Amino acid sequence: MQLIPAPRAIDGPTRGAVLFDRSTPVWAGPGTETTERWLRSTLGPALGLPFPAGPKDAPGGLRLLVDDSLEPEAYRLTAVPHAGVEIRGGDAAGVFWGAQTLRQLLGPDAFRRAPVRPGATLGIPSQVIEDAPRFRWRGLMLDVARHFMPKDGVLRYLDLMAAHKLNVLHLHLTDDQGWRIEIKRYPRLTEVGSWRARTKFGHRASPLWEEKPHGGHYTQDDIREIVAYAAERHIAVVPEIDVPGHSQAAIAAYPELGNTDVIAASMAGGTALSVWDNWGISSNVLAPTDNTLRFYEGVFEEVLELFPGEFVHIGGDECPKDQWRRSAVAQARIEELGLADEDELQAWFIGHFDKWLSARGRRLIGWDEILEGGLAEGAAVSSWRGYAGGIAAARAGHDVVMCPEQFVYLDHRQDAGADEPVPIGHVRTLEDVYRFEPVPAQLTDEEAGHVIGTQANVWTEVMEDQGRVDYQTFPRLAAFAEVAWSALPAPQERDFADFDRRMAVAHYRRLDALGVAYRPPTGPWPWQKRPGVLGRPLEGPPPNR
Ligand code: ACM
């Protein structure tokens, strides 16, 4: 039935169909309330089907139930003519993912906001679908710091994720170029830190500037709404507050967070930095002082109140050590703590928040640089600089989310042609993403068990609005969703032609109905194709990023 992501097994379709019309009743068993609400708020309005409540055994009806003999997130969808459609989930999430499959079976109009043919009779061919996810962390990271995505855009992405059975939204909330979350006790983080005066247009070596202010932030009520909207769709939201690097916006708001002795020496006595207007890695990093630790504990206290999930991301990537080398304060700290060097100072900084979060029943996750100083039990790693960090983490017994930039950084261009908009990074085609394998072959089965999932990362330096985010993210996110959900064979054996065919006959039409401004499938056509990334050595850092 052209399902994306592909399910584990389909028996059928055989002759006959279940017919849905305005009178089709729904019976929602205990624990299926999120799906029942979604049917009435989203699927029903798309098709003009009211889904009135009915008895469990109504012939031709839709039945939702939790059956804990199935795995968590698994479901079985059974369509039997005259009897009706039953979705049985291992838990509430499984029922919800089964409903997402039902939506695909109902055709592309089921993805609209309003019906084209209200209340038309729709047929669901007789069949049984058995399905369960490969990974429990099927993530998308949105960088809302480099370019702000207003709340409605985030809610829209949660709907797009749900339609692809993705279940973790990682929000990159802070960076050198902007601070995007209201922290009540530190109002200047958003008053000052959420606006920059202008923006570099293109990659960092570009001569072009957009000479207008850019900014925005989420209030705490916005965050509560995002988290609740996600929870209704069985999506966890993981907040990222990036420390100790990528922090210039915070330092612009509260200069004492910075290495003031170094900054004053280089700025003729002044210590006031601006929110950064360029891309790259700022040398202005947090000062390793008690004041900084207490300040960020205050930030994290508010963050924990807003985000109830297990994981909190503390960044930890790309922290240049130059200021710490030159700062008398940082050097005194190294000596006082008996550390060997600035790398150990970073490990001490991360370790502080690792213990602080563990003491509050949460788990720290950070970019793979955090491995360099040793981690507390329970901490997890986002492996972004290729597979190596993830392999080391899994071997050390830490959980890993695989998101190597060589495959799943969706800011990278999708084609080598000169007409790709703002073409940064390596070429990463739809097929490259489809052939991405999250579990490296070097790992033993036990180590591989630590790869809890995978994530596609949408860095937004070159994505100034929703249309650009859509273009970079789709259609590649559909391929990524199949990698994360479906039990695909080894990369070389994957049937990309079949995936491409399902995209062509069904999924682009679903994306059209959802209003997604995806990159159109203009080629390269099969006879023009370059070998996929598997056929090429992995390159080093991408150009122009
Ligand atoms: C990263 O791309 N700096 C995590």
Side-chain angles (χ1 to χ4, degrees):
M1 290 310 294
Q2 332 304 350
L3 298 172
I4 289 181
R8 287 227 170 142
I10 307 183
D11 184 4
T14 53
R15 277 157 60 95
V18 178
L19 300 180
F20 271 17
D21 61 22
R22 292 187 59 82
S23 64
T24 297
V26 59
W27 179 84
T32 66
E33 296 79 7
T34 51
T35 301
E36 186 185 15
R37 284 193 287 270
W38 179 83
L39 284 174
R40 299 233 172 81
S41 66
T42 304
L43 187 62
L47 297 167
L49 300 179
F51 290 123
K56 184 173 183 183
D57 51 4
L62 172 60
R63 270 181 306 287
L64 310 175
L65 64 157
V66 171
D67 172 352
D68 54 23
S69 72
L70 299 174
E71 296 167 45
E73 294 200 277
Y75 68 89
R76 180 184 307 129
L77 185 152
T78 311
V80 177
H82 308 296
V85 174
E86 179 184 274
I87 300 174
R88 218 171 247 272
D91 54 11
V95 178
F96 185 75
W97 304 132
Q100 301 311 309
T101 296
L102 173 67
R103 187 189 203 182
Q104 296 199 359
L105 297 177
L106 285 165
D109 284 349
F111 291 79
R112 292 184 181 278
R113 270 180 190 277
V116 181
R117 295 171 298 139
T121 300
L122 297 157
I124 300 156
S126 169
Q127 62 196 300
V128 180
I129 297 175
E130 297 270 0
D131 202 6
R134 178 174 178 201
F135 292 109
R136 76 174 167 97
W137 181 304
R138 304 179 300 279
L140 173 69
M141 189 213 73
L142 284 180
D143 167 13
V144 295
R146 269 50 175 272
H147 279 101
F148 180 58
M149 180 184 279
K151 179 193 74 185
D152 285 354
V154 177
L155 302 183
R156 175 177 174 270
Y157 260 82
L158 287 166
D159 280 323
L160 296 176
M161 288 175 69
H164 292 85
K165 300 188 174 79
L166 298 174
N167 70 342
V168 178
L169 174 64
H170 168 171
L171 278 182
H172 181 75
L173 288 164
T174 69
D175 214 302
D176 298 312
Q177 297 86 358
W179 182 285
R180 305 285 174 225
I181 175 173
E182 177 188 25
I183 300 296
K184 300 255 190 215
R185 70 188 83 182
Y186 305 127
R188 286 174 59 82
L189 285 172
T190 42
E191 283 166 15
V192 173
S194 77
W195 285 91
R196 59 177 181 262
R198 62 175 189 165
T199 297
K200 174 57 66 79
F201 187 84
H203 55 78
R204 62 177 166 272
S206 152
L208 304 174
W209 294 92
E210 174 128 71
E211 295 285 354
K212 69 178 191 201
H214 176 85
H217 74 275
Y218 309 112
T219 65
Q220 295 204 346
D221 277 348
D222 289 338
I223 295 285
R224 279 187 271 271
E225 189 177 339
I226 288 168
V227 169
Y229 195 89
E232 273 291 293
R233 287 151 185 78
H234 299 278
I235 298 172
V237 186
V238 174
E240 180 184 351
I241 305 292
D242 203 344
V243 294
H246 288 281
S247 299
Q248 186 168 325
I251 300 168
Y254 291 94
E256 65 273 23
L257 296 173
N259 295 287
T260 46
D261 55 344
V262 179
I263 295 170
S266 69
M267 291 177 62
T271 56
L273 298 174
S274 311
V275 178
W276 208 22
D277 56 12
N278 208 338
W279 310 129
I281 304 171
S282 167
S283 58
N284 294 301
V285 304
L286 296 176
T289 60
D290 285 342
N291 174 65
T292 302
L293 298 184
R294 298 294 93 73
F295 183 98
Y296 274 88
E297 286 168 4
V299 170
F300 281 117
E301 272 172 23
E302 295 190 29
V303 166
L304 296 196
E305 291 258 307
L306 294 166
F307 295 90
E310 180 182 13
F311 284 102
V312 176
H313 206 293
I314 53 83
D317 56 323
E318 299 178 322
C319 178
K321 306 296 183 310
D322 196 49
Q323 288 193 340
W324 288 353
R325 268 182 221 110
R326 289 190 287 132
S327 162
V329 176
Q331 291 301 316
R333 196 87 223 220
I334 287 175
E335 191 158 320
E336 174 201 329
L337 294 167
L339 303 175
D341 57 17
E342 294 76 19
D343 289 335
E344 288 197 1
L345 191 58
Q346 153 129 351
W348 165 81
F349 194 101
I350 298 296
H352 175 83
F353 287 103
D354 192 2
K355 291 195 268 307
W356 191 92
L357 287 168
S358 305
R360 284 154 187 79
R362 305 298 184 100
R363 292 176 67 187
L364 173 145
I365 182 165
W367 301 111
D368 55 60
E369 287 93 331
I370 68 169
L371 270 175
E372 287 157 15
L375 283 178
E377 213 179 309
V381 169
S382 308
S383 186
W384 76 277
R385 295 178 297 178
Y387 287 107
I391 292 170
R395 288 190 172 146
H398 293 290
D399 285 346
V400 176
V401 175
M402 279 292 181
C403 49
E405 62 173 334
Q406 292 86 352
F407 287 89
V408 286
Y409 268 34
L410 300 186
D411 51 336
H412 289 197
R413 71 187 83 185
Q414 295 171 76
D415 185 78
D419 51 358
E420 279 309 294
V422 201
I424 65 159
H426 300 303
V427 176
R428 291 298 172 256
T429 64
L430 184 63
E431 181 167 358
D432 290 335
V433 174
Y434 193 70
R435 295 194 192 280
F436 162 56
E437 172 48 50
V439 180
Q442 300 94 309
L443 295 183
T444 64
D445 285 351
E446 192 189 334
E447 290 161 355
H450 282 296
V451 180
I452 58 173
T454 180
Q455 182 170 292
N457 293 341
V458 178
W459 298 102
T460 60
E461 286 95 330
V462 297
M463 295 174 224
E464 64 281 359
D465 58 27
Q466 178 176 293
R468 286 286 295 123
V469 174
D470 278 10
Y471 183 96
Q472 293 302 124
T473 305
F474 289 97
R476 292 184 293 186
L477 195 69
F480 174 77
E482 190 147 305
V483 169
W485 176 279
S486 308
L488 294 178
Q492 301 83 337
E493 285 147 33
R494 290 182 191 167
D495 191 349
F496 176 71
D498 178 66
F499 173 79
D500 218 15
R501 183 191 58 74
R502 282 178 282 133
M503 289 297 296
V505 300
H507 207 69
Y508 286 115
R509 290 163 67 207
R510 297 178 192 133
L511 297 178
D512 284 335
L514 286 163
V516 175
Y518 54 81
R519 180 181 190 276
T522 52
W525 305 110
W527 58 90
Q528 297 172 319
K529 276 199 175 132
R530 288 146 35 90
V533 69
L534 284 168
R536 315 193 289 272
L538 287 181
E539 302 94 332
N544 295 341
R545 235 190 123 252

